[in-house]
Amino acid sequence: MRLLPDPAYPEFLAELHLCGTGAPDAALARLQPAIRSRHSSRRPFRDEEIPAVVRDRLCEAAGAEGAQLLFPGAWHVRSVLELVRDAEGREAVEPGMREETARWTRTEPSDVAESADGIPAEAFGPRQRGTSAPVRDFAAGRRVPGRGWAPFEKSPNIALLGTARDEPTDWLCAGQALERVLLQATADGLVTSLTSQPLEWREIRWAVRDPVSAMAHVQMVIRLGYGPEGHASPRRPVADLLDVPCPGRFAQRGEGA
């Protein structure tokens, strides 16, 4: 596999050559059943610790793709939550950010929305009573019929996914590692959601990093726990994302929502 094989086409993410008839990767094969059941859950999780053995498997999943996964201590989790709230405040007064959120989210259910992209209303989850968990409110002040309020976990389980460098290939590796971590979490009975708000502002992104860790660049903040599964979101057809020009060779152009 070659990542970003043609600099002239940055959307051409990877080129893969399929060869040989060896045994499949057993670790990846075990994750295959989790693909269809993995969905982001923006609903309340239980206040329950994740066992160390499960955390270790998630860290190994990130490492297998060339990234790092770190579970910060309680003091740094509080710091991350404060940074999330800071970023949300910045977004609230930034017209471009609000417009982008509205473009990629739907306040109507998926069976009513015309677009095949974006997050439908039923996947928003309830509004929080308080701000204990790092869950983005995709409604962004818009009315969503039938959406209620709920208390979320007081002590959320947070993991930081990061890389040693911060170049395009590192972003791509981080995306691969993120998908593997999410599938491993699903296979282990966890539900997850993602938080990127504080990483989208240069002024505060550096503060998300745990200063006592070896992780140089945080690429995603992951909320994990035990609770209700998330609602499915639309997926693009595979043909929109993969070119198969001839037997034994295909090129990956992108990844679905």
Side-chain angles (χ1 to χ4, degrees):
M1 179 176 66
R2 292 194 303 156
L3 300 182
L4 302 175
D6 191 340
Y9 296 93
E11 71 279 7
F12 183 10
L13 301 184
E15 184 177 63
L16 292 86
H17 292 264
L18 305 182
C19 57
T21 57
D25 185 322
L28 284 178
R30 286 193 293 269
L31 298 180
Q32 192 275 338
I35 293 176
R36 292 188 177 275
S37 57
R38 189 211 70 73
H39 304 292
S40 294
S41 178
R42 301 176 185 88
R43 301 168 69 182
F45 299 168
R46 299 194 298 272
D47 268 306
E48 184 177 336
E49 287 291 326
I50 299 173
V53 64
V54 176
R55 292 188 178 203
D56 289 344
R57 281 197 292 267
L58 297 173
C59 293
E60 291 171 2
E65 299 292 345
Q68 301 169 279
L69 190 72
L70 169 72
F71 287 87
W75 71 269
H76 195 64
V77 169
R78 291 193 295 270
S79 175
V80 171
L81 295 178
E82 291 174 0
L83 291 170
V84 170
R85 289 191 283 271
D86 185 352
E88 288 175 342
R90 292 167 181 252
E91 287 184 6
V93 297
E94 175 53 52
M97 297 290 288
R98 296 201 306 272
E99 180 183 347
E100 183 181 19
T101 298
R103 188 166 64 250
W104 285 101
T105 58
R106 313 283 173 250
T107 55
E108 66 274 6
S110 55
D111 57 354
V112 176
E114 298 180 356
S115 175
D117 280 320
I119 301 173
E122 60 265 31
F124 283 15
R127 291 183 174 89
Q128 286 196 59
R129 293 192 185 279
T131 55
S132 57
V135 180
R136 187 192 295 252
D137 185 358
F138 284 111
R142 296 172 293 166
R143 182 176 178 273
V144 180
R147 188 183 185 213
W149 298 79
F152 281 62
E153 65 271 22
K154 295 181 180 179
S155 301
N157 292 295
I158 301 297
L160 306 179
L161 180 79
T163 53
R165 299 175 58 188
D166 200 30
E167 302 297 330
T169 51
D170 302 295
W171 307 337
L172 188 52
C173 285
Q176 294 175 220
L178 175 62
E179 185 65 17
R180 187 157 178 159
V181 167
L182 296 178
L183 291 177
Q184 183 64 58
T186 303
D188 282 329
L190 294 167
V191 286
T192 60
S193 63
L194 306 178
T195 298
S196 63
Q197 296 103 306
L199 306 177
E200 297 166 10
W201 299 90
R202 185 187 302 272
E203 299 87 348
I204 61 176
R205 180 190 176 193
W206 65 272
V208 180
R209 177 184 175 273
D210 190 332
V212 300
S213 77
M215 183 183 294
H217 302 280
V218 178
Q219 305 292 352
M220 185 58 69
V221 180
I222 310 173
R223 167 182 171 245
L224 311 99
Y226 298 96
E229 295 183 358
H231 197 283
S233 295
R235 296 292 189 268
R236 292 188 183 187
V238 174
D240 284 358
L241 309 170
L242 299 178
D243 287 333
V244 186
C246 63
R249 177 181 182 274
F250 68 89
Q252 181 176 332
R253 296 191 313 203
E255 184 177 341

